[in-house]
């Protein structure tokens, strides 16, 4: 079967409706939205475009299913997730192709995301049966203290376009494990993978109303009434800090529990004692994975002046050899950016850096023709104050600035309102440990360029977010702690 036939088969199988109360239904008034392939800009699917009333209907369904899902034995909740994991891995190729077509990432990376996204299903299938509490005597010796954990309740998820599968499973799996029902609104640019994943959940026995999906081109008007509804108990958002701030403000009216996975501006610090082979390998993955469109993407390469030129030479050589093209083509490492705005942003940031004195070593412009492609780029000699050091680039541009000593490196690395992840390359163990304490971020890669793992707590500090996804911590985002006292 040709790749084109496989693509159309995969796209044909994706449902076109909203998923509410276990039924696939049309949006109010039969409204639809179109989804495009960013590598060609062609329409690949037309799906339901939910109204605010559709959103509230989805919440009605989640509320109706909450009590019985919370009462479902943890083992059964876990086994549903485990069946979903097995089914997803068995259909890895289909899900990878769908993601590549709607989002643009190279097929090899899409396969990796199926593995990564799937691991949240497996991990939380195992965590569902480990929700525990405490029992003890109070210090006065007059009472018995019981601490138990209850599901938070109906939860609303808003997810971004850059990791269409993993951002959905990272929220749905812990919520289901904890006994919470869900309404999920995927990004309008890449909604198909979430729809296909929920079809898979349905096939492996998802009870009606436990997960509901609304796709819409009017994110804010559809989300606002759900967030304002007193029956909602939890809002979990992954996306930009700008939108996250607005959602926190809306959530404040209900004093809603929130989890926020927001933007980043990751420093990638290369000390003079670093193993440069490791640093270059780490840089390539930390920068160019997902075409640079990751919240964890290295945004600022802060390199000791003694090794900066050699580091730049080596990364430039690797970047020059990268293959740009449609993600389905063999050997492609750089697919399209998500849309024309992303191209414009990369162009503006590079132009600003160059105007302030930086040099473009490789790339530096868009690729003319169909689709939204930008060349993988290396910019050296970036001076403090450049916009490229302040904003999330979200594209395949590797920007290098230099430092002179450790205090200087720490000051530059922490000079941002973000605090998601930092990367440090050094062969000095004591220095590595000092960096764990000194760098202001929720996560750190020490001599590694990629660190996400379902067994680890993913999340940021400062304006990069609130809460953690994955690890033993992940399920607590969906549990309330209850303390009970009874006489001894
Ligand atoms: P975005 O904030 O524009 O959109 C994210 C989601 O929010 C989409 O579903 C969108 O439709 C919806 N949305 C937008 N405005 C809204 C509003 N006013 N009310 C309700 N919903 C609204 O972000 P994006 O462009 O899709 O994703 C890129 C951003 O996501 C980057 O900043 C990136 O760093 C961040 N991100 C963070 C993580 C993390 O885990 N920290 C992971 C992936 C992406």
């Amino acid at each position: 079967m040709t790749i084109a036939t496989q693509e159309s088969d995969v796209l044909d199988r994706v449902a076109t409706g909203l998923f509410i109360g276990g039924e696939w239904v049309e949006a109010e008034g039969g409204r639809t939205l179109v989804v495009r392939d960013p590598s060609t800009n062609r329409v690949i699917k037309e799906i339901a475009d939910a109204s605010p009333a559709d959103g509230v209907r989805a919440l009605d369904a989640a509320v109706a299913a909450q009590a019985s899902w919370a009462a479902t034995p943890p083992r059964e909740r876990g086994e549903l997730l485990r069946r979903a994991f097995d089914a997803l891995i068995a259909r890895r190729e289909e899900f990878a192709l769908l993601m590549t077509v709607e989002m643009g990432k190279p097929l090899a990376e899409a396969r990796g995301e199926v593995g990564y996204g799937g691991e949240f299903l497996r991990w939380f299938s195992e965590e569902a049966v480990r929700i525990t509490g405490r029992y003890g005597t109070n210090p006065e010796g007059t009472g018995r203290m019981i601490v138990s954990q209850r599901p938070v309740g109906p939860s609303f998820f808003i997810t971004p376009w850059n990791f269409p599968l993993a951002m959905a499973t990272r929220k749905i799996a812990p919520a289901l494990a904890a006994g919470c029902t869900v309404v999920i609104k995927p990004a309008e640019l890449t909604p198909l993978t979430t729809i296909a994943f929920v079809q898979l959940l349905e096939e492996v026995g998802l009870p009606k109303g436990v997960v509901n999906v609304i796709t819409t081109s009017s994110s804010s008007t559809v989300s606002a009434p759900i967030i304002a509804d007193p029956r909602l108990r939890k809002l979990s958002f992954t996306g930009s800090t700008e939108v996250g701030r607005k959602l926190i403000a809306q959530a404040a009216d209900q004093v809603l529990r929130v989890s926020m996975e927001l933007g980043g501006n990751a420093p990638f610090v290369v000390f003079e004692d670093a193993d440069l082979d490791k640093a270059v390998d780490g840089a390539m993955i930390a920068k160019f994975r997902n075409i640079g469109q990751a919240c964890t993407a290295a945004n600022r390469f802060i390199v000791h002046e003694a090794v900066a030129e050699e580091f730049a030479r080596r990364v430039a050589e690797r970047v020059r050899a990268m293959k740009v093209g449609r993600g389905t083509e063999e050997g492609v490492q750089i697919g399209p950016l998500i849309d024309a705005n992303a191209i414009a942003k990369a162009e503006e940031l590079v132009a600003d850096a160059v105007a302030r004195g930086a040099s473009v070593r490789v790339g530096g412009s868009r690729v003319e023709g169909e689709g939204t492609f930008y060349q993988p780029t290396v910019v050296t000699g970036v001076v403090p104050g450049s916009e490229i050091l302040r904003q999330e680039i979200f594209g395949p541009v590797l920007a290098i600035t230099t430092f002179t000593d450790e205090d200087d490196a720490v000051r530059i690395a922490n000079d941002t309102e973000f605090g998601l992840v930092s990367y440090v390359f050094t062969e000095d163990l004591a220095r590595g440990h000092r960096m764990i304490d000194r760098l202001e971020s929720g996560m750190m890669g020490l001599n590694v360029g990629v660190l996400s793992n379902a067994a680890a707590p993913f999340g940021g500090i400062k304006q990069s977010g609130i809460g953690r996804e994955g690890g033993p911590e992940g399920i607590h985002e969906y549990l309330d702690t209850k303390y009970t006292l009874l006489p001894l």
Side-chain angles (χ1 to χ4, degrees):
M1 206 192 288
T2 66
I3 191 96
T5 329
Q6 287 172 37
E7 275 178 47
S8 59
D9 278 3
V10 163
L11 287 167
D12 283 349
R13 281 201 288 275
V14 179
T16 54
L18 310 173
F19 190 57
I20 300 180
E23 309 290 336
W24 293 95
V25 295
E26 279 194 3
E28 187 184 29
R31 288 196 320 154
T32 58
L33 64 87
V34 294
V35 182
R36 291 174 190 275
D37 171 346
S39 71
T40 59
N41 206 29
R42 282 193 218 116
V43 172
I44 50 172
K45 191 96 185 170
E46 193 171 343
I47 59 167
D49 188 359
S51 68
D54 291 323
V56 172
R57 282 198 296 131
L59 180 61
D60 292 343
V63 170
Q66 177 57 48
S68 65
W69 183 243
T72 301
R75 176 70 78 199
E76 269 183 45
R77 301 198 303 254
E79 281 172 356
L80 174 82
L81 293 172
R82 177 64 207 213
R83 288 196 300 276
F85 169 74
D86 292 337
L88 181 69
I89 297 306
R91 287 161 57 185
R92 184 190 288 259
E93 285 305 308
E94 184 187 322
F95 273 86
L97 186 57
L98 182 59
M99 261 192 285
T100 292
V101 173
E102 72 167 338
M103 184 272 163
K105 68 182 71 195
L107 206 43
E109 290 190 19
R111 290 187 186 111
E113 183 172 344
V114 178
Y116 172 59
E119 284 302 332
F120 290 97
L121 302 167
R122 176 153 64 175
W123 176 263
F124 287 108
S125 77
E126 294 156 349
E127 289 297 279
V129 292
R130 311 206 195 296
I131 300 167
T132 56
R134 304 203 293 276
Y135 175 88
T137 307
N138 66 359
E140 297 74 20
T142 57
R144 300 175 199 275
M145 306 170 81
I146 299 171
V147 179
S148 54
Q149 308 215 59
R150 303 288 311 146
V152 171
S155 302
F156 180 38
F157 299 157
I158 302 177
T159 52
W161 50 265
N162 60 345
F163 291 99
L165 179 71
M167 297 303 98
T169 58
R170 211 160 79 172
K171 296 188 193 302
I172 292 174
L176 263 46
C180 299
T181 58
V182 167
V183 175
I184 181 165
K185 190 211 79 62
E188 55 272 41
L189 293 171
T190 62
L192 304 182
T193 305
T194 301
I195 297 174
F197 173 64
V198 174
Q199 287 177 279
L200 178 146
L201 283 178
E202 200 187 359
E203 284 166 30
V204 299
L206 179 77
K208 287 185 190 315
V210 171
V211 177
N212 305 276
V213 186
I214 47 169
T215 48
T216 180
S217 59
S218 323
S219 295
S220 57
T221 49
V222 170
S223 300
I226 300 177
I227 298 169
D229 193 307
R231 297 171 302 167
L232 186 72
R233 291 285 184 272
K234 166 93 195 184
L235 169 65
S236 179
F237 170 72
T238 298
S240 60
T241 296
E242 190 190 346
V243 173
R245 257 187 227 112
K246 289 185 198 157
L247 294 174
I248 294 169
Q250 288 177 35
D253 279 345
Q254 300 287 349
V255 194
L256 207 53
R257 273 188 72 177
V258 294
S259 299
M260 292 280 147
E261 297 286 350
L262 308 178
N265 179 2
F268 187 107
V269 183
V270 182
F271 283 101
E272 66 278 24
D273 56 33
D275 175 328
L276 278 196
D277 290 334
K278 280 189 210 159
V280 170
D281 285 346
M284 295 304 291
I285 188 154
K287 179 72 251 180
F288 295 104
R289 195 170 64 96
N290 221 39
I291 321 152
Q293 302 170 119
C295 52
T296 49
N299 211 58
R300 297 169 294 151
F301 286 79
I302 304 164
V303 186
H304 191 274
E305 56 186 6
V307 293
E309 181 46 39
E310 178 61 11
F311 177 79
R313 192 189 61 73
R314 293 203 208 175
V315 289
E317 195 179 301
R318 295 273 290 269
V319 170
R320 208 170 281 118
M322 289 185 107
K323 184 170 173 192
V324 180
R326 189 158 193 257
T328 49
E329 285 166 29
E330 193 59 37
V332 161
Q333 293 152 297
I334 299 287
L337 290 187
I338 192 68
D339 59 15
N341 293 338
I343 299 274
K345 183 170 187 187
E347 283 179 337
E348 277 163 32
L349 292 177
V350 170
D352 173 78
V354 169
R356 294 170 194 260
S359 322
V360 174
R361 291 283 274 265
V362 186
S365 52
R366 67 172 70 198
V367 179
E368 295 303 338
E370 135 179 293
T372 42
F373 291 88
Y374 190 87
Q375 294 171 331
T377 296
V378 178
V379 183
T380 55
V382 177
V383 300
S386 299
E387 283 301 318
I388 207 163
L389 302 178
R390 301 167 53 80
Q391 295 185 32
E392 228 182 346
I393 304 170
F394 244 59
V397 181
L398 190 157
I400 303 177
T401 188
T402 56
F403 71 92
T404 49
D405 63 32
E406 189 176 304
D407 285 346
D408 196 23
V410 169
R411 185 188 52 75
I412 299 170
N414 289 340
D415 184 19
T416 169
E417 70 271 27
F418 296 106
L420 189 60
V421 59
S422 40
Y423 302 93
V424 171
F425 283 77
T426 176
E427 291 297 294
D428 179 340
L429 188 61
R431 173 176 265 164
H433 280 281
R434 281 198 299 280
M435 289 304 113
I436 297 175
D437 295 336
R438 296 187 73 187
L439 293 186
E440 296 168 352
S441 59
M443 301 177 282
M444 184 168 135
L446 185 51
N447 295 324
V448 294
V450 61
L451 51 94
S452 300
N453 191 301
F458 186 104
I461 61 170
K462 295 163 81 177
Q463 293 190 27
S464 286
I466 302 170
R468 294 294 179 268
E469 290 187 328
E473 290 83 356
I475 201 164
H476 291 288
E477 303 283 318
Y478 298 95
L479 292 169
D480 280 332
T481 300
K482 181 158 194 175
Y483 155 58
T484 307
L485 180 70
L486 50 147
L488 199 62

